[in-house]
Amino acid sequence: MIELEPSYDHKLYEKKWYRHSLEHKFFSASVDASKTPYTILMPPPNVTSQLHMGHGLGYSIQDLFVRWKRMKGFNACWLPGTDHAGIATQMMVEKDLEREGTTRRAMGREKFFQRLVDWKEKYGGMILDQFKTMGFSCDWDKLAYTMDPKLSEAVRYVFVELYREGLIYRGERLVNWDTVLQTAISDDEVESQEIQGILYYYRYPIEGTDQFIPIATTRPETMLGDTAVAVNPEDERFKQLIGKQVRLPFTNRLIPIIADDYVKSEFGTGAVKITPAHDPNDFEIGKRHKLPFINVMTDTGTMAENTPTPFQGLDRFVARKEVIKQMKALGLFDEEKSYKTTVPHSERSKTIIEPRLSQQWFVSMKQLAEPAAEAARQGELQFHPESWKKTYLYWLDNIQDWCISRQLWWGHRIPIWYCKDCEGISTGIEDPTQCEHCQSKNIRQDEDVLDTWFSSWLWPLSPFGWPNEGTSSKQLEYFNPTDVLVTAPEIIFLWVARMVMVNLKFKQRLPFKHVYFNATVCDKQGRKFSKTLGNGIDPLEVVELHGADAVRFTAISLAPLGGRVRMEKEDFENGSRFVNKIWNASRLVFQHLEPNQTLPSLKGLQLSLAEKWLLNRLREATEKVDRHLEGYRVNDAVEELHHFIWGAFCDWGLECAKSDLALPAGHKDKERALSVLVYVLDGALRLAHPVMPFVTEELWQKMPKHPDWGDRPESICIAAFPQAGLMPAYEDEAKQWKTIQDIVSGIRSVRSQMGLPPRQELPVHIRIDEALASTVTQAEEWIKRLAKADKVVSGPEVVRPGQSLSAVGKGFEVYLPVQGLIDVEKEQKRLSTEEQRLQKILSGILGKLNNASFVERAPEDVLEQTRVQKANMEEQLSAIRQNLKALAD
RNA sequence: GGGGUCAUAGCUCAGUUGGUUAGAGCGAUCGCCUCACACGCGAUAGGUCGAUGGUUCGAAUCCAUUUGACCCCACCA
């Protein structure tokens, strides 16, 4: 026999088989024209991040796809890598410095950068080892990192190309300024949050009169940079004031009252203070009316030198209170109202964004966005679920230019040099040594670095050696376009859309055809897993407890396409139980096998009905799993797997085989039964492998080879995935078997409901329609075993023995003679309940058939079906009634 | 303000073009330590498919209205 431990211990096998796969390079793909590539780009996690359940789910799905396709013979490549994550990583190191009592500025740029490099070396990439624990079959030979020299060259190339084409430009714009991180961030890194704010009302004196103009604002501190007051041109209250001037308190500047349609008379006071350097709308108005732009804040959000005392140097929120206090002192303050408003916050530092006027680099997006939108419109680029297409298109159709410069030190430095003599700008793939305009050597590089996404968007290109191995390197032409991108809907703009744009721009084709959005992981209350809430589940902890297979299976089975998945730790017990079930089912089969035992082929064997049903069921499961995976319905695929292995293979297949297994070794019936079981188990393990790589590998390796599965490679991960079309089909037998299952269930139900001791064996009489009579005769042994019968009498002429319990089904009645044991009243009650249930169904059917327009208009097959049902119900009902009558006698 | 998703058993969700008696897992209840597995086996209960109206011979499914929950986008000071 083949020995297996009484229960599955993941710790014994997971590391072993992962190492095995790595040693044999099963996960590595190289360019091979004879094989079709199947490529998935792993969304690169931040190099310093830790594995969380979001990764656990998303990457388990990717691994499922990759392993599945690899088994189907594709040259599967799952490209792993990490992202340098400029802001996030710099923040972590700056926090360390703070603890040490220093700052990056005190340290200097070069030292600070080195510190980050060291830090990444030491702590970075931990997440990659965690991926190995999960069993992810990445092509580690291709491991990439966005700051790798190779990938950095691609960043440089793309920047230079786009700059020379005029698609990258420098401009003074109002940008989202993060006062904590002291950098600009892009629109997509800003999140609006509703906060309870205050709307302040105060007045500005109108020059040359004793009148005032009332103002309402939520940000009084910006008044120091006001350069106008605007009203709606149609507003009767203020019409006569247009063109007059206001004496701005504290600064004593004279600013004009202007008219602009933007102003809504009904809001606030109907007059708006205009601060073009600190508000996006005011910025536009400022441009329209050629107003001055006065920046009154520093990088850190304090009031700048150009502001008067007592405001100068105050933090913006302190200054806000101070302005109000001073306005009160001047008697210009009216009132304040509490006011709910949405305010932009920095995604990273969580601080309130300060719109700030500054010089930044931008990518002009319109031209890039159009083809990307078109690809989705034409259906060339597909989203799963499809509803995201609208979101994607909306963003592309309303695209804004992308601010790519960051005032950080961690990242790719912008490859731009300014000439101190002619003020010209130079760039190049190589660092220039002199100004490309005046040849002066007096040049200095731009201080800023690029947005991290400016390197991430090249993920479909740069890891494959593009462009430094030529803009159509062999690898790139082979693996790009990739097949499916599995990612979170949150980064559809930040990442997905941009990859599409840049791939289309530089390769004139899509980076991938399918985008699968996986569910957001939430707790049972529906709250997103987050560090601050501490409601997350640590996948490593759960892996330690239940094993990677259990975690993968559970995560995938819980996750519907898109949407959200609610999970708690206890859910993983499900997966754990399933893994254990597979283990124990194998244990039963293995008990009767010798290692390397030679098994007969199924061809030429006289299979039993139950065996044919089981084989047919495997075929059906194979077809379903495959179809669900093709349709990106991963949880359905996994559910079918569970259904088949547990509900079909274990509950019926193995139970039926037990009598044959009990035969002595070498008996031909036992050999036959084993051949079927090993064949089916082998198929089941192959089907399950993409979800549960380790337990399936361990069992598969121990199991003897079955001739009908062909050659056996060194690992199940490269064994052929089952193909329904190549498997034996027994559809008629499967239908017949359904009746046997109904009979067994009927008997069990009667026994259980009537409280008959489970161990007590009873004779069973079965009245069966002529058509299935021989089937039931054949199945008597199974009925005995499965329904605890000591004797089975069956046939079309069987009649109700006196004093018996009964059950009826489609085409049969079963009787359990139980002289003396019968509780007549209980049995009567049970039968009448059943009678009522069937009567209700029959009434519904009759209702339909008596409806003239149903008979007239319903299609023939539906009508026929209904008639068959009617006959069936009537038959069953009459049988029950007879039994009730017999009981009463 | 615009767009999107969802509402089905106590819980989490299936239900793919409208058509047998609306399913599964978990939980609950009852009975079983049956020689692979108590991480197990067998059985049972539980739903007027959010509400209203419409289309249809027929609606959980399609349409309209409505209630509630969530997500994304958006510059009303």
Side-chain angles (χ1 to χ4, degrees), chain A residues 367-539:
Chain A
Q367 194 184 320
L368 295 173
E370 271 165 20
E374 199 51 24
R377 268 195 202 98
Q378 297 300 322
E380 225 186 307
L381 177 65
Q382 287 178 32
F383 295 98
H384 308 271
E386 220 199 328
S387 49
W388 289 106
K389 181 170 161 178
K390 271 203 166 172
T391 310
Y392 169 89
L393 286 175
Y394 182 85
W395 186 74
L396 286 176
D397 291 342
N398 296 280
I399 200 146
Q400 302 294 312
D401 284 354
W402 174 17
C403 176
I404 49 169
S405 43
R406 297 288 178 275
Q407 288 65 52
L408 303 172
W409 289 351
W410 180 235
H412 299 100
R413 191 143 171 199
I414 292 181
I416 286 287
W417 282 258
Y418 304 100
C419 176
K420 287 183 183 167
D421 295 327
C422 76
E423 294 185 354
I425 286 177
S426 308
T427 186
I429 299 296
E430 301 296 328
D431 287 6
T433 52
Q434 56 180 35
C435 172
E436 59 187 61
H437 307 283
C438 71
Q439 281 72 47
S440 159
K441 301 232 189 283
N442 197 7
I443 56 173
R444 62 174 175 86
Q445 189 173 5
D446 195 296
E447 294 294 321
D448 293 347
V449 300
L450 289 163
D451 180 6
T452 301
W453 297 105
F454 195 88
S455 49
S456 320
W457 75 334
L458 304 177
W459 201 241
L461 302 166
S462 56
F464 297 112
W466 180 91
N468 50 328
E469 288 166 23
T471 49
S472 16
S473 80
K474 261 192 188 159
Q475 284 214 27
L476 185 80
E477 295 311 309
Y478 189 72
F479 293 111
N480 173 303
T482 66
D483 291 86
V484 57
L485 180 76
V486 178
T487 189
E490 289 101 83
I491 50 176
I492 187 165
F493 311 135
L494 283 168
W495 194 48
V496 181
R498 286 182 187 151
M499 283 192 285
V500 174
M501 289 188 241
V502 82
N503 214 91
L504 281 169
K505 171 75 186 166
F506 286 93
K507 290 308 299 177
Q508 293 77 47
R509 63 183 181 228
L510 289 169
F512 31 75
K513 295 224 161 70
H514 299 272
V515 184
Y516 175 101
F517 290 109
N518 56 248
T520 312
V521 187
C522 300
D523 63 14
K524 283 285 163 180
Q525 281 96 60
R527 297 173 309 178
K528 220 164 146 176
F529 278 178
S530 77
K531 261 191 201 153
T532 41
L533 275 175
N535 60 346
I537 299 171
D538 177 4

Side-chain angles (χ1 to χ4, degrees), chain A residues 8 13-14 17 549 579-580 582-583 685 692-700:
Chain A
Y8 177 66
Y13 308 115
E14 300 197 335
W17 287 118
D549 290 337
V579 171
N580 202 243
I582 296 175
W583 184 260
L685 293 176
M692 298 177 286
F694 296 122
V695 67
T696 50
E697 179 91 82
E698 174 65 20
L699 291 169
W700 195 77

Side-chain angles (χ1 to χ4, degrees), chain A residues 613 617 641-653 741:
Chain A
W613 166 79
R617 190 64 188 77
L641 203 62
H642 182 262
H643 215 98
F644 169 67
I645 293 179
W646 201 310
F649 182 65
C650 294
D651 290 349
W652 294 92
Q741 286 181 311

Side-chain angles (χ1 to χ4, degrees), chain A residues 147 209 233 253 258 302 375 395 419 421 548 654 673 737 805 832:
Chain A
M147 292 268 274
T209 70
R253 287 203 314 271
I258 59 171
T302 60
W395 186 74
C419 176
D421 295 327
L654 291 179
W737 183 253
L805 303 172
S832 358

Side-chain angles (χ1 to χ4, degrees), chain A residues 718-753:
Chain A
I718 51 166
F721 198 76
Q723 276 182 269
L726 300 181
M727 297 169 129
Y730 299 101
E731 288 182 20
D732 293 341
E733 286 89 341
K735 269 184 208 138
Q736 291 166 18
W737 183 253
K738 179 81 179 66
T739 300
I740 305 302
Q741 286 181 311
D742 287 347
I743 289 171
V744 169
S745 298
I747 300 169
R748 284 170 171 176
S749 179
V750 173
R751 294 182 59 122
S752 178
Q753 285 187 60

